[in-house]
Amino acid sequence: QVQLQESGPGRMKPAETLSLTCTVSGSSVSSGFYWGWIRQPPGKGLEWIGSIFQTGSTYYSPSLKSRVTFSLDTSKNQFSLKLTSVTAADTAVYYCARGYSSLDVWGKGTTVTVSS
Amino acid sequence: QSALTQPASVSGSPGQSITISCTGSSGDVGGYNFVSWYRQHPGKVPQLMIYDVSKRPSGISNRFSGSKSGNTASLTISGLQAEDEADYYCSSYTSSSSVVFGGGTKLTVL
């Protein structure tokens, strides 16, 4: 079955750039699906970050659009997120998932803590 | 972009039915049939329960149903079970080609 696994830095300092990668198994990132990122701050609700299609077309949250970039690596069957100029407000569990308006397969999530 | 509005909490007894509302605007819920619902147990990964307003993914019990009227979508859970106790989130596609989530509803099974 389709499985997704996030990988990231764990802890980082304010103003740094967050880089996360999602490795897909059981499916191809070029198989016609959208792939997305969602985050959840501690004790809070879900926030959609954006989605990317196999063509490289991207769709971002308006509130994060100026700081976020998605990319696909078909050779590694991965997709990635970069978020610039992080602050403590970016502390969250970051999930990758398959889909766009609906997200049917999720990774287990990776915790990112921004602290000086 | 404002989050969709959900009640903070709802509760019901085993066997009863409950409904969780999700209110947006004509630019999201009311304008598109792309409303989804997710269940998240504490410390666990969200699970898709309903998509495209009323469709159930494979493996999801028919105790879960979705509907929409105007700018408000609803999730109904019938025959409440202890395992249904969780946080529930709605989401909708929007006119800016983005997706917005609701603030979440904590369901307590009494």
Side-chain angles (χ1 to χ4, degrees):
Chain A
Q1 79 266 25
V2 181
Q3 292 184 314
L4 284 68
Q5 178 68 57
E6 306 87 350
S7 57
R11 297 188 69 90
M12 52 190 314
K13 296 185 183 304
E16 292 182 334
T17 294
L18 169 63
S19 294
L20 296 175
T21 296
C22 183
T23 301
V24 179
S25 57
S27 180
S28 168
V29 296
S30 301
S31 59
F33 290 101
Y34 288 88
W35 306 93
W37 291 96
I38 307 91
R39 69 181 183 179
Q40 186 170 33
K44 296 188 178 181
L46 301 171
E47 179 182 17
W48 185 80
I49 301 173
S51 290
I52 185 169
F53 191 53
Q54 62 174 28
T55 57
S57 296
T58 52
Y59 306 88
Y60 299 128
S61 165
S63 63
L64 295 170
K65 188 174 184 176
S66 64
R67 295 196 293 133
V68 69
T69 304
F70 293 166
S71 60
L72 281 173
D73 187 336
T74 56
S75 66
K76 296 181 179 178
N77 213 33
Q78 296 174 334
F79 61 102
S80 299
L81 168 156
K82 288 191 186 298
L83 182 68
T84 62
S85 304
V86 299
T87 69
D90 295 309
T91 293
V93 175
Y94 285 75
Y95 296 99
C96 61
R98 185 176 73 177
Y100 182 1
S101 61
S102 62
L103 302 152
D104 64 345
V105 182
W106 293 61
K108 294 181 179 180
T110 186
T111 298
V112 175
T113 302
V114 181
S115 174
S116 55
Chain B
Q1 185 116 32
S2 299
L4 305 176
T5 300
Q6 298 181 232
S9 63
V10 298
S11 63
S13 299
Q16 288 185 331
S17 294
I18 63 94
T19 296
I20 300 172
S21 62
C22 171
T23 301
S25 68
S26 59
D28 39 64
V29 174
Y32 306 92
N33 289 324
F34 295 129
V35 175
S36 298
W37 290 91
Y38 301 86
R39 177 176 70 181
Q40 185 179 34
H41 289 114
K44 301 297 186 181
V45 176
Q47 179 184 17
L48 180 66
M49 307 302 287
I50 295 288
Y51 69 100
D52 294 354
V53 175
S54 60
K55 298 177 182 177
R56 279 189 309 275
S58 175
I60 299 301
S61 169
N62 60 10
R63 298 187 300 107
F64 292 85
S65 62
S67 63
K68 190 184 82 168
S69 177
N71 296 337
T72 298
S74 299
L75 172 71
T76 297
I77 308 174
S78 59
L80 266 182
Q81 301 178 0
E83 68 193 49
D84 298 330
E85 185 161 295
D87 293 326
Y88 290 82
Y89 295 91
C90 63
S91 73
S92 174
Y93 178 79
T94 81
S95 58
S96 60
S97 300
S98 63
V99 172
V100 62
F101 279 97
T105 297
K106 181 177 180 59
L107 169 60
T108 301
V109 180
L110 302 171

